[in-house]
Structure formats: structure tokens, C-alpha cells
Amino acid sequence: MPDKKLKTAVLGLDDKGRLLLEAASQIQHLTIIAVADTDTNLAEKIAARYNCSPYDDYRRLIIENQLDCLLVAAPVHTCAEYLKAALKKKFHLLKLPPLARNFAEAAEFVQLADDQGVKFAVANTRRFAGGFESFSHLLDRQHITHVFLIEAICNAAARRHQTWQTDPKLAGGGVLLHNAYEIIDLVNENFGAPQQVYALTTNTAADRQQRLYRTEDTALLTMKFTDTMFGTLISNKTIGPARYEITVYAKDKILTVADSFFAVTDLLGKTLRRTRCACDLSESLRKQLTNFALAILEPDNNKLLGAADKNLRNMAVIESAYLSARTAMPEEPQRILKMTRIAP
């Protein structure tokens, strides 16, 4: 194992940012030298706890430090220009999802990282959740074959959102981009991106005019992968408890998977296998961060998981869905992917 420690800073200290910071502090290959948040008191308080430098200005953090790694939890609308500056200084970046607000912005980030020769990854931590890890292993080992239908559910527990999260220009999108991103990532990773996407979106605004200027609270996607394989995705934040689940219908089995379990039944509903799995967000973050650090320190021996260029498929599916919601027609992610010379 390499002895070198990578000089690291964390941008954004909301709940997710603090979890990211705590996980990073436990990775032997990383040393935290700075944290930043627009809340001065919060930045100083957290910095004191981790014995590092506080910043309330993202620009100053980038300019005043020569980092190896920048871990990003801040919303993109608050730091997009600073992320570009960080890439130009050859900082390796790991960002909590989503990759960007839209496909064009994502492609710009990916292209810049490629031009500068640095690593850029998205922390799709659900890949490391026990249930979804087991799901991927089953597919890899060909235990589930001849899939013809995929159903994905992503219900985010309703909660009070900040104003920017309802603004399409600042947020880029609603539940599809910010809540369903990792479910879309899992579908793309295990089955490839769909050929076509047809989408309906809406929100709870009182009238049609208001709905046009709000991000969506509910999204319904129909996806065509091949002539014999289709999928649906439903995402909303208005009803029910949080639920992230994928059901796969195959020739002789049905597989249902979530963060903490997976179950296999026959076509009549008889349970063939049901397994409870470990599900710890902190542990998932540590796995992602360890891979990120080793992919930098020993790239020949460690493939980068969640590479940003691969995440362009996720952004293309989401961009296609938003375009479809406007045109009322199916759209093709591959056509959007052709907008960039980076091949995912």
C-alpha cells in the first residue's frame, strides 16, 4: 500500500458534506488540510474539530492551496466556476451526485478533467450498499438472465427544501436529477443506457404557469433498452416514506433489490432467496474514497469507480427525460452523448 497522503479539502459542509468529511478523515491515504462553507461560523467550528484551515470563500480555498484532492458536497450553482478553477490547477475531484445541473455543464467538467489529466469521480454510494452490491454480483455471474422488464422506484421522503432547489436554473432539475440520479446510475451500470426515454414530469404548484417555473416533484420515465427489454422509473418526493428499489423481471426469476436487502422469487411469487445486507452510508463513502485515493496513487492497479466520463450516460438519460417532458416525444440519450468528444 502506498505511504503517500493526498492533501485534501472538502467544499460544502451541509449534512452530506459533514458525512463526506468524516469518512475522508478515516481514510489513511487522505489528509484533510482545509474545509469550506459559505457559513463562516460552521466552517470555523468544523475546521477546529478536524484541526484544519477554515474558508467561507470557495475561490480563496482554490487559489490559496495546492491540493491533491477536492471533495465536493456544495450545490453546483454555488461553485461551478471554482470547480473549473480547481481542475485547471490539476486538483483531482470527487463530487457527491449529481455530476452537474445539465448535460452541457457535465460535458464541460469532464472535458476539462480530461484535458488536465486529472481524476474526476462521482460518489454514487448506492453502488456500495449491500443490497445493490449483491445485485451487481448476481448479474455479473449470469445468475439472472433474459431480463425483459425493469421497474425502479425512487421516493424521497418529503422535507422542507431550500429555495434554490425549486428553481430550475439554479438546481438544474428536481427529483429526477437530485433524488433518482443514483437509481439511474445503477440501471445504466448494470443494463446499459436505454435507447429511448419517454418522460412525464409535474409538481405541486397551484397552476400551470407556476409549474413551468418550478422543478418537478414527480417524474415518470418509460425506457426502451432493446426490442425485448423495457423499463420504468417513478420518482417523487410528495408521498410515502423514502424508498429506493429496483425490481427485475427475467425469464424464470424476479429479483427485487434495495439498499439493505435483495430477494429472488419465482414467477409465481415463491421466495427462492431473501438476504438482508449491510447498509451504512459512511461505510459506502469510505469504500468510494479509498478507491478514489488508490486510483490516484496506484492507477495501474486500481480502476476508478464512478468516473465522471462514465456518468455522462446518467446525465444523457436525465437530459433526454427533461427534453421528452417538453416535446411529449421519446428522446434518445445516445444522440445527446454525441454532443461531447469524450466517449463514456
Side-chain angles (χ1 to χ4, degrees):
M1 297 288 281
D3 294 328
K4 180 183 177 182
K5 286 184 174 288
L6 300 167
K7 292 186 292 184
T8 304
V10 176
L11 204 69
L13 297 172
D14 61 5
D15 291 346
K16 291 182 179 179
R18 293 194 294 275
L19 275 175
L20 180 63
L21 171 60
E22 177 60 24
S25 72
Q26 298 170 16
I27 304 303
Q28 62 175 318
H29 311 298
L30 304 178
T31 181
I32 306 299
I33 68 167
V35 295
D37 195 272
T38 53
D39 183 331
T40 304
N41 291 335
L42 178 62
E44 291 177 347
K45 179 180 177 181
I46 298 297
R49 185 182 307 166
Y50 289 89
N51 192 28
C52 62
S53 301
Y55 290 85
D56 59 8
D57 183 326
Y58 296 159
R59 178 176 173 274
R60 281 188 55 220
L61 172 67
I62 305 301
I63 290 175
E64 295 179 9
N65 294 279
Q66 188 56 49
L67 303 170
D68 295 307
C69 305
L70 182 64
L71 311 180
V72 182
V76 180
H77 75 275
T78 67
C79 62
E81 293 305 312
Y82 309 126
L83 299 190
K84 295 174 193 175
L87 290 169
K88 289 176 182 176
K89 288 190 71 175
K90 299 189 181 298
F91 297 177
H92 300 286
L93 257 64
L94 182 139
K95 186 185 178 304
L96 296 184
L99 170 56
R101 289 170 289 184
N102 53 58
F103 185 85
E105 184 174 64
E108 185 177 5
F109 288 157
V110 170
Q111 187 64 67
L112 186 55
D114 185 65
D115 290 343
Q116 298 298 322
V118 296
K119 306 290 185 185
F120 189 174
V122 180
N124 295 313
T125 53
R126 277 200 157 78
R127 290 190 185 190
F128 299 98
F132 289 114
E133 270 194 322
S134 298
F135 168 63
S136 296
H137 291 329
L138 282 173
L139 293 172
D140 287 343
R141 295 169 186 162
Q142 298 294 304
H143 290 178
I144 303 292
T145 58
H146 302 294
V147 172
F148 60 86
L149 179 64
I150 303 161
E151 291 180 347
I153 299 289
C154 175
N155 288 349
R159 63 180 64 181
R160 188 179 184 86
H161 288 279
Q162 298 180 51
T163 303
W164 69 266
Q165 291 175 297
T166 64
D167 185 326
K169 290 184 178 179
L170 296 180
V175 291
L176 193 57
L177 178 65
H178 291 279
N179 298 99
Y181 187 93
E182 291 192 73
I183 290 289
I184 292 169
D185 175 71
L186 287 163
V187 170
N188 286 343
E189 181 67 14
N190 288 290
F191 301 101
Q195 295 176 10
Q196 291 183 325
V197 174
Y198 177 75
L200 299 170
T201 64
T202 190
N203 58 45
T204 55
D207 58 62
R208 177 177 173 81
Q209 192 63 28
Q210 284 181 301
R211 287 196 292 273
L212 293 174
Y213 296 95
R214 290 267 304 274
T215 55
E216 81 282 356
D217 298 324
T218 300
L220 170 62
L221 273 62
T222 301
M223 299 170 284
K224 176 184 177 182
F225 294 88
T226 68
D227 288 341
T228 59
M229 179 175 158
F230 304 93
T232 62
L233 184 150
I234 299 173
S235 182
N236 76 75
K237 64 179 180 183
T238 58
I239 59 173
R243 181 184 172 199
Y244 297 85
E245 194 170 290
I246 296 175
T247 301
V248 175
Y249 297 84
K251 183 178 180 180
D252 58 354
K253 296 184 182 74
I254 300 171
L255 171 64
T256 302
V257 59
D259 289 337
S260 59
F261 78 93
F262 72 91
V264 182
T265 65
D266 65 19
L267 299 185
L268 297 176
K270 179 182 178 181
T271 300
L272 304 176
R273 180 179 179 184
R274 185 176 180 88
T275 305
R276 301 295 300 182
C277 305
C279 177
D280 183 333
L281 178 56
S282 295
E283 177 61 20
S284 295
L285 283 169
R286 286 192 290 270
K287 288 181 179 179
Q288 176 77 69
L289 287 161
T290 298
N291 169 263
F292 180 63
L294 290 176
I296 294 167
L297 293 168
E298 294 185 339
D300 292 339
N301 300 321
N302 297 277
K303 178 183 176 181
L304 179 64
L305 301 177
D309 60 340
K310 304 299 184 186
N311 275 259
L312 285 176
R313 295 178 306 174
N314 304 338
M315 295 301 302
V317 170
I318 292 167
E319 190 90 356
S320 297
Y322 285 141
L323 180 59
S324 174
R326 294 195 297 271
T327 64
M329 295 289 290
E331 300 293 343
E332 299 177 358
Q334 189 60 41
R335 185 176 64 82
I336 291 172
L337 280 168
K338 290 178 181 177
M339 293 169 56
T340 175
R341 62 183 173 89
I342 297 292

